[in-house]
Amino acid sequence: MNDIMELQPTLWRTCRILASSPRLQLLRALQESGTASVSVLSERAHLPSAKGSLHLRALNSRGLITATPKGRFVYYTPIANPSVTGAAEILNALNMAISACMTDDEIIHYITAFTHQRRITIVGKLNTLSCDPETLAVRTGISLPALLRHIEKLQARDMVSPDKSRLELRIPNNLFGHALLDTALKN
């Protein structure tokens, strides 16, 4: 039973997949094209077809795009898999970021706030209380040294207040960061 649970898409695993400039370039190409083949998308993202295919399969595995085989070709569509929790919200947030002309680095800046399950746990706890690091360590079950490392990453990504003595959740003023935070709080 645990093996099945571990294979289900989770926010932190999805964010790890998205924290990649080539994958974001493929999503940009897909947003512009609508539906397109691996070769067309790879060309637009300036990638060899084999690498483009690997990246597209990774995005598809997280439910962010839909693959349709037609003969010996595979066509991808920027439609989230409805059976994957949170995929539609993340894809909508990404489309919003791409439409707002955010760079890959700007998108990755916010995505990497949620590339570890512990950071999602920390954000969830800080959503209901503000406290000192020691109290948060007890409430989350994360060791203080590990907690402080994750807090630093969240602070650098504008998700936690810079005051180390009183930790509070911050709402990013960026729509993409805000959408990701909302998705993390639903987990």
Side-chain angles (χ1 to χ4, degrees):
M1 186 73 166
N2 284 344
D3 291 339
I4 292 170
M5 294 297 287
E6 290 180 59
L7 294 175
Q8 291 179 348
T10 57
L11 178 61
W12 71 269
R13 286 184 175 120
T14 299
C15 286
R16 283 189 181 184
I17 292 292
L18 288 172
S20 159
S21 195
R23 290 183 183 136
L24 292 174
Q25 289 302 313
L26 286 164
L27 283 171
R28 287 177 195 281
L30 197 51
Q31 186 186 38
E32 291 171 9
S33 303
T35 298
S37 67
V38 172
S39 58
V40 167
L41 293 169
S42 297
E43 183 179 318
R44 289 189 180 159
H46 309 291
L47 295 169
S49 284
K51 284 195 186 266
S53 178
L54 285 172
H55 290 306
L56 288 163
R57 282 187 291 193
L59 293 167
N60 184 52
S61 74
R62 307 318 295 166
L64 297 169
I65 59 177
T66 302
T68 306
K70 289 186 182 173
R72 52 177 228 186
F73 298 102
V74 177
Y75 291 85
Y76 287 94
T77 308
I79 298 173
N81 183 334
S83 66
V84 178
T85 305
E89 291 89 351
I90 293 171
L91 184 60
N92 287 340
L94 283 166
N95 288 337
M96 194 171 42
I98 291 168
S99 294
C101 299
M102 286 181 72
T103 66
D104 290 352
D105 289 342
E106 290 169 326
I107 293 170
I108 289 170
H109 171 81
Y110 288 101
I111 286 173
T112 54
F114 302 110
T115 55
H116 198 288
Q117 179 61 46
R118 286 182 171 177
R119 290 197 284 277
I120 295 168
T121 299
I122 290 167
V123 164
K125 289 291 183 197
L126 288 176
N127 189 42
T128 58
L129 75 125
S130 60
C131 60
D132 60 271
E134 291 79 11
T135 301
L136 188 58
V138 170
R139 296 273 178 110
T140 60
I142 301 171
S143 72
L144 186 58
L147 180 98
L148 292 173
R149 285 192 303 274
H150 289 296
I151 290 293
E152 277 185 32
K153 289 184 188 257
L154 288 167
Q155 287 171 330
R157 284 147 184 89
D158 308 317
M159 299 290 169
V160 173
S161 63
D163 181 4
K164 292 203 190 287
S165 63
R166 189 86 183 147
L167 301 172
E168 293 181 331
L169 189 63
R170 289 177 67 175
I171 307 300
N173 59 5
N174 172 288
L175 288 175
F176 179 65
H178 191 250
L180 279 176
L181 178 60
D182 283 347
T183 303
L185 292 174
K186 291 177 187 174
N187 276 299

